Amino acid sequence: MSETKGKAKIKDTARIREAVKRHKRETYTPVKPDLQLGFVHNNVDCIGCRACEIACKDKNGLAAGPRFRRVQYVEGGTYPNVYAYKVNMSCNHCSEPGCLPACPTGAIFKRKKDGIVDIDSTLCIGCRRCEAACPFGAPQFDPYDSIVKKCNMCVDEIEAGRKPYCVMACMMRVLDIGPVEKIWNGELQTVAIGPNDVVSRQVQNMANIELTNPSIGFVAHSKGKVK
Amino acid sequence: MYGYEIPYIPKWIEPWEYLNSKKTKKHPFHLISPHPRHRTHSIYNNCSWLRETYEQEVTINAADAKKLGIKTGDTVEVWNDRGKCVVPAYVTQRCMPSVAVLHEGAWIDLDENGIDRAGNPDMLTLDEPSPAGAFAYNTVLCSIRKTKLKHRPGWDKLATARSHVFRRDL
């Protein structure tokens, strides 16, 4: 037994990878939206005032606890070579959301029209499986309503032709939304991206984008770039 | 020092506590208490949104923290001869060595020994106004060490979901 154990282990990892791929192919086909909206955030110019977090909590009527938008403070280096930047994230409305197949009741859906991932609160049973499945911590349990809630990019505002509350609250104008393809190739007309800035999909202090293919772009800090 | 004569020309008056005084042998840290950005002095400290967004914490330099064996998030006690308060520490390179920063205005929460668990710098200040009659909030020497005393942040941290995890990542 012990001799075959090592070999069997290697075989198993390959087979498990295969099985996971098959499982994904057979059980879950991501919705291909006509237009995928996404956020863009300038990590360098963000001052970390957290007005976006509070505007979001105000709009969604959240008590202390769940927080859809989170500003992550990153600082490092030793004096005199110190640096600090912010990574700001809510739900990334991923192309292959991890939360969606994890939902046992089918409460989570991705809109065909603009690629927004949302939860139907009437179907959610509060099992919190999506919370564990999301690598970015977007779905959060509301202990007062006993259901999971998440950022829906303020769909009502989008339908009305306006921008989400977090974007409107940003005093430095470092947060914006737009079609995600345009964000990534720098075509989007926004003050969040400066004239010489390069938009990157992955920055440090962020989960691997290969997991869920998130629809978000960052103007990365020089120390926060991923090679 | 209130009531003392104020000199007619601007000149140096020795403060009762500062980093060049001999009192630093006993209490080596100079404590300053600036206005917090999540409160107006002590107003709005009961707002749960603001409490979970920002923490009452003592900011110390990384070199000092290394000497004392303190990491970000450790509960420390800040004390001098006048009082003691318990707060989490925030270790950073952005603070000057041998200076501690503790924001003013936290609501005092005394335990049975008269120690403030909320972390209000009022516990450490001298109750004597400056010559001009202002309260000398930034003229305080104190000591800091790791502690097993409990800090009471004033809201349920367990209910804060994962938001607190994303706060700071060094």
Side-chain angles (χ1 to χ4, degrees):
Chain A
M1 276 301 277
S2 58
E3 282 174 25
T4 53
K5 213 177 182 181
K7 279 182 188 173
K9 229 180 186 176
I10 298 159
K11 251 186 206 169
D12 281 353
T13 38
R15 276 186 58 220
I16 287 166
R17 272 208 199 109
E18 197 75 7
V20 167
K21 265 187 193 165
R22 177 175 49 79
H23 177 259
K24 227 179 169 178
R25 193 170 60 238
E26 287 174 8
T27 58
Y28 170 50
T29 322
V31 174
K32 290 224 162 47
D34 304 332
L35 171 81
Q36 175 68 57
L37 287 177
F39 285 104
V40 58
H41 179 245
N42 191 320
N43 292 353
V44 189
D45 291 345
C46 178
I47 57 169
C49 67
R50 299 186 147 157
C52 50
E53 290 186 3
I54 298 297
C56 174
K57 294 199 78 148
D58 191 15
K59 198 254 173 183
N60 292 294
L62 300 172
R67 175 169 296 243
F68 296 165
R69 183 160 280 286
R70 302 163 304 278
V71 181
Q72 191 182 355
Y73 286 45
V74 184
E75 57 175 83
T78 41
Y79 182 81
N81 300 313
V82 292
Y83 63 89
Y85 62 93
K86 321 285 182 300
V87 181
N88 187 347
M89 226 185 256
S90 62
C91 174
N92 295 330
H93 303 281
C94 310
S95 301
E96 300 157 34
C99 56
L100 204 152
C103 183
T105 61
I108 303 179
F109 60 95
K110 190 171 174 69
R111 300 213 312 176
K112 178 88 176 135
K113 192 177 155 196
D114 42 21
I116 291 172
V117 181
D118 198 0
I119 303 181
D120 186 340
S121 61
T122 56
L123 286 174
C124 180
I125 54 169
C127 69
R128 304 179 75 169
R129 280 173 69 175
C130 51
E131 221 182 346
C134 177
F136 306 104
Q140 287 177 22
F141 187 65
D142 187 340
Y144 304 96
D145 289 349
S146 284
I147 54 168
V148 174
K149 298 177 176 177
K150 68 183 276 304
C151 159
N152 59 3
M153 220 188 241
C154 297
V155 270
D156 46 342
E157 293 293 300
I158 300 239
E159 298 281 347
R162 294 189 292 265
K163 284 180 176 174
Y165 270 48
C166 51
V167 173
M168 300 304 279
C170 181
M171 66 168 85
M172 296 299 285
R173 300 279 179 265
V174 292
L175 191 65
D176 207 347
I177 60 157
V180 81
E181 299 293 337
K182 280 193 176 178
I183 289 172
W184 290 337
N185 61 24
E187 278 174 17
L188 184 73
Q189 288 295 312
T190 171
V191 286
I193 308 168
N196 297 315
D197 287 341
V198 182
V199 179
S200 54
R201 295 191 59 191
Q202 174 94 59
V203 292
Q204 278 181 31
N205 312 89
M206 171 189 176
N208 192 346
I209 56 162
E210 285 172 17
L211 291 167
T212 61
N213 202 357
S215 313
I216 190 164
F218 291 109
V219 176
H221 189 269
S222 59
K223 302 279 181 172
K225 281 179 182 145
V226 175
K227 275 134 204 154
Chain B
M1 279 212 235
Y2 185 63
Y4 285 44
E5 193 180 317
I6 299 173
Y8 302 111
I9 50 164
K11 64 170 187 177
W12 164 254
I13 305 171
E14 189 175 349
W16 53 80
E17 284 182 9
Y18 69 123
L19 280 178
N20 275 347
S21 79
K22 283 173 186 163
K23 292 174 187 170
T24 50
K25 276 183 186 158
K26 199 173 177 195
H27 298 300
F29 284 94
H30 189 127
L31 185 86
I32 58 168
S33 31
H35 297 208
R37 53 177 170 168
H38 53 293
R39 287 191 296 260
T40 309
H41 304 291
S42 65
I43 307 168
Y44 302 126
N45 197 42
N46 51 348
C47 176
S48 55
W49 280 358
L50 296 174
R51 277 207 183 195
E52 64 159 1
T53 307
Y54 296 100
E55 249 180 308
Q56 179 72 8
E57 58 198 358
V58 61
T59 308
I60 47 174
N61 181 270
D64 290 334
K66 206 176 172 188
K67 267 183 249 165
L68 298 165
I70 296 169
K71 289 194 200 90
T72 297
D74 286 350
T75 309
V76 297
E77 54 184 67
V78 185
W79 86 98
N80 58 21
D81 299 337
R82 297 181 282 271
K84 185 184 278 189
C85 61
V86 185
V87 269
Y90 168 43
V91 177
T92 181
Q93 297 276 352
R94 297 181 298 165
C95 183
M96 243 176 84
S98 64
V99 170
V101 184
L102 184 59
H103 289 115
E104 53 144 356
W107 291 9
I108 284 177
D109 184 358
L110 292 179
D111 71 358
E112 64 272 19
N113 301 317
I115 297 165
D116 175 31
R117 291 172 290 196
N120 190 329
D122 281 340
M123 301 298 291
L124 314 166
T125 47
L126 184 68
D127 294 337
E128 204 172 330
S130 72
F135 191 66
Y137 235 134
N138 297 318
T139 311
V140 177
L141 289 177
C142 69
S143 302
I144 295 171
R145 70 166 172 232
K146 249 174 126 165
T147 186
K148 282 182 179 164
L149 294 169
K150 287 275 179 291
H151 170 65
R152 291 243 309 240
W155 88 96
D156 185 6
K157 263 196 178 179
L158 287 175
T160 319
R162 295 170 76 172
S163 62
H164 201 258
V165 180
F166 282 82
R167 196 66 49 84
R168 275 193 195 101
D169 194 286
L170 291 175

